[in-house]
């Protein structure tokens, strides 16, 4: 289980606006984060990944603290909207880099790369380069790369935002399956409330650097409190 307790952060350039997060994600759960642009969703993911240093609070995974670990040692994989694949390397190599930057793979790691490519339906195109793929296929590669890392926490920051609704839904379903199969804890940031409905039994509304509401997704999307949630959803 991922537990975020009283996690505090403020950007040095805006010291007056301290963010403060409390949240838990169960094993096998994809928790969606929705909320207005600038509310702190990406900042929260960066704090978990260790790209930004929290000034207080704790992050625990299965009761082990990780907030003091360097980025590389955190059990975290993150997928962004921009896939961050190397354009000059083929898919197999891009995925292999997820486990071993030196690319000197042990046989078991080669198997893991093959397995992830097969699981995501990418095996037939493994020698293609990212430029020879569709946007949806590229995000599948980014997922495969996250998967081979076998880290407990999966963070998706508007990972599928550039894709159309049908493809987004397909990839979200895939994420749900993978997270359940691998006992991961996932946080999915999307600016589409409909994505939260597909992805998550529970969702959180992030507003002004806080978890302003957290509930069953259908309930949250129908809720009239806080008022910022109504403003964000554009109804009521
Ligand atoms: P979201 O992902 O929800 O759109 P962010 O986490 O990116 O929001 O940003 C939260 C707030 O922090 C916003 O007010 C944004 O302007 C501010 N912010 C983001 N990055 C920086 C930065 N590097 N320096 C100062 N302020 C930042
Ligand atoms: Mg963001």
């Amino acid at each position: 289980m991922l537990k975020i307790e009283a996690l505090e952060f403020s950007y040095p350039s805006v010291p007056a606006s301290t963010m403060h997060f409390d949240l838990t994600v169960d094993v096998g759960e994809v928790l969606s984060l929705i909320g207005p642009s600038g509310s702190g969703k990406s900042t929260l993911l960066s704090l978990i990944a260790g790209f930004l240093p929290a000034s207080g609070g704790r992050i625990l995974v299965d009761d082990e603290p990780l907030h003091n670990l360097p980025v590389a040692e955190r059990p975290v994989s993150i997928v962004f909207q921009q896939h961050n694949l190397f354009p000059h390397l083929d898919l197999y190599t891009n995925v292999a880099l997820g486990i071993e930057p030196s690319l000197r793979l042990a046989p078991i790691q080669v198997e893991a790369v093959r397995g992830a490519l097969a699981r995501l339906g990418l095996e037939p195109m493994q020698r293609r380069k990212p430029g020879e793929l569709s946007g949806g296929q590229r995000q599948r590669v980014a997922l495969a790369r996250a998967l081979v890392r076998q880290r407990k926490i999966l963070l998706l920051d508007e990972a599928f935002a550039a894709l159309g609704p049908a493809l987004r839904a397909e990839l979200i379903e895939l994420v749900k399956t993978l997270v359940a199969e691998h006992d991961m804890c996932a946080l999915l940031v999307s600016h589409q409330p409909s994505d939260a409905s597909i992805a998550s039994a529970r969702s959180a509304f992030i507003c002004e650097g806080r978890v302003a509401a957290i509930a069953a997704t259908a309930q949250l999307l129908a809720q009239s409190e806080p008022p910022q949630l109504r403003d964000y959803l554009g109804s009521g």
Side-chain angles (χ1 to χ4, degrees), residues 9 11-14 17 19 21 35-46 52 157-158 189 206 209:
F9 178 76
Y11 285 102
S13 53
V14 260
S17 59
M19 301 191 189
F21 298 105
S37 181
S39 59
K41 304 178 299 295
S42 295
T43 303
L44 172 57
L45 299 196
S46 293
L52 293 171
D157 197 350
E158 302 195 17
V189 172
I206 309 293

Side-chain angles (χ1 to χ4, degrees), residues 148-167:
V148 290
R149 289 161 52 78
Q150 296 187 311
R151 304 286 167 103
K152 185 89 190 178
I153 301 170
L154 178 64
L155 307 175
L156 301 123
D157 197 350
E158 302 195 17
F160 309 132
L163 309 175
L167 198 49

Side-chain angles (χ1 to χ4, degrees), residues 2 7 34 43 215:
L2 169 65
L7 197 66
I34 59 169
T43 303

Side-chain angles (χ1 to χ4, degrees), residues 1-5 7 23-25 57-67 75 153 185:
M1 181 198 257
L2 169 65
K3 211 182 261 183
I4 291 160
E5 294 180 347
L7 197 66
L23 200 64
T24 61
V25 185
R58 307 200 299 167
I59 306 171
L60 304 166
V61 177
D62 298 337
D63 297 322
E64 293 286 325
L66 65 85
H67 46 276
I153 301 170
C185 303

